[in-house]
Amino acid sequence: MKQTVIILTMLLTTLSAMAQHEEGDFLVQPRVGMNIATLSDADKSIVDLHFGVEAEFMVSDQLSLSVGALVSNQGAKYDYFDENNGRNKYTVDLDYVQVPLMASYYVLPGLAVKAGVQPGFKMRAKAKLDNATVDLDELYTMDRMLTGEDVKVSTFDLSIPVGISYEYKNVVLDARYNWGLLKVLNVGDAFYNRALMLTLGYKLELGD
């Protein structure tokens, strides 16, 4: 009996420390994290960073809507075989500004499941081979001039993020998987973004 009382006391203490936001609360969350990203036809993933801020409005005690702005590095690694040089490797780096629009449902105080839609706007696209770095937009522009082949890196991306988050004393751990819906290149049937985003954030409540 005594052990049961101790366990219940510890549980209540933990729950009281969790965030219990109320209807009408407006929260801002600076956040930084890690991407494990790839492209749908790639050989390997890359690990890189993202950072930004997210604003959240509590529609009710359990449901919230949020919008964010994130700078996110994505891409993938490729292996290819060259008859002259044998097996080679190169990395594609894609930098985006992403705008996640999310709905979150709090199944328990501090614990939320979430889903939404995420437009992304390309800032830069590069390929790295050995010690050389090539700007893909410049490369494909030259190809169009020389060969007439109209290959482009898409300036706009759209993905579906789904995930889960846990908040404790305003510190938030967030895990999302982004499923890209649009081609990164305008050729072929592949080249879709895929990314697991692991984030650490801190929520600040604005107003009363």
Side-chain angles (χ1 to χ4, degrees):
M1 181 65 179
K2 184 177 180 180
Q3 290 180 340
T4 302
V5 172
I6 293 174
I7 292 172
L8 288 175
T9 301
M10 292 175 62
L11 179 60
L12 289 173
T13 301
T14 301
L15 288 174
S16 66
M18 292 179 187
Q20 298 188 44
H21 303 299
E22 299 176 348
E23 180 180 344
D25 285 352
F26 184 73
L27 308 146
V28 174
Q29 180 192 164
R31 49 188 295 169
V32 63
M34 176 180 71
N35 289 339
I36 303 174
T38 190
L39 294 168
S40 54
D41 69 329
D43 299 302
K44 295 180 181 179
S45 301
I46 66 168
V47 177
D48 219 302
L49 298 176
H50 66 270
F51 62 90
V53 66
E54 197 165 69
E56 180 180 14
F57 178 74
M58 299 299 300
V59 178
S60 70
D61 292 350
Q62 290 183 290
L63 178 65
S64 75
L65 299 176
S66 64
V67 59
L70 302 175
V71 175
S72 180
N73 181 265
Q74 298 178 192
K77 292 183 179 181
Y78 290 85
D79 293 335
Y80 73 97
F81 186 80
D82 184 275
E83 293 183 358
N84 297 320
N85 301 315
R87 184 168 297 279
N88 292 279
K89 299 180 180 180
Y90 69 96
T91 300
V92 174
D93 279 332
L94 302 168
D95 295 336
Y96 291 97
V97 173
Q98 297 173 332
V99 184
L101 306 169
M102 306 292 292
S104 300
Y105 183 78
Y106 289 84
V107 294
L108 290 171
L111 180 65
V113 293
K114 52 189 63 188
V117 62
Q118 180 172 273
F121 304 90
K122 185 200 69 182
M123 296 190 299
R124 185 171 55 180
K126 299 180 296 181
K128 297 178 181 179
L129 175 62
D130 296 327
N131 295 322
T133 300
V134 178
D135 186 293
L136 290 178
D137 291 314
E138 294 179 0
L139 177 64
Y140 291 137
T141 298
M142 291 179 61
D143 282 348
R144 284 195 296 274
M145 294 172 61
L146 295 173
T147 68
E149 187 176 4
D150 188 23
V151 180
K152 297 178 181 178
V153 182
S154 300
T155 57
F156 180 75
D157 187 49
L158 185 67
S159 60
I160 299 296
V162 293
I164 188 170
S165 68
Y166 179 74
E167 181 181 350
Y168 182 78
K169 293 186 177 180
N170 295 84
V171 176
V172 184
L173 295 175
D174 188 296
R176 301 178 189 178
Y177 188 80
N178 296 329
W179 187 272
L181 301 178
L182 302 179
K183 294 179 182 179
V184 173
L185 289 179
N186 64 332
V187 295
D189 298 322
F191 304 106
Y192 294 89
N193 276 308
R194 305 285 187 260
L196 174 64
M197 305 180 80
L198 305 173
T199 303
L200 179 65
Y202 188 85
K203 284 190 178 180
L204 303 169
E205 186 170 337
L206 302 184
D208 296 332

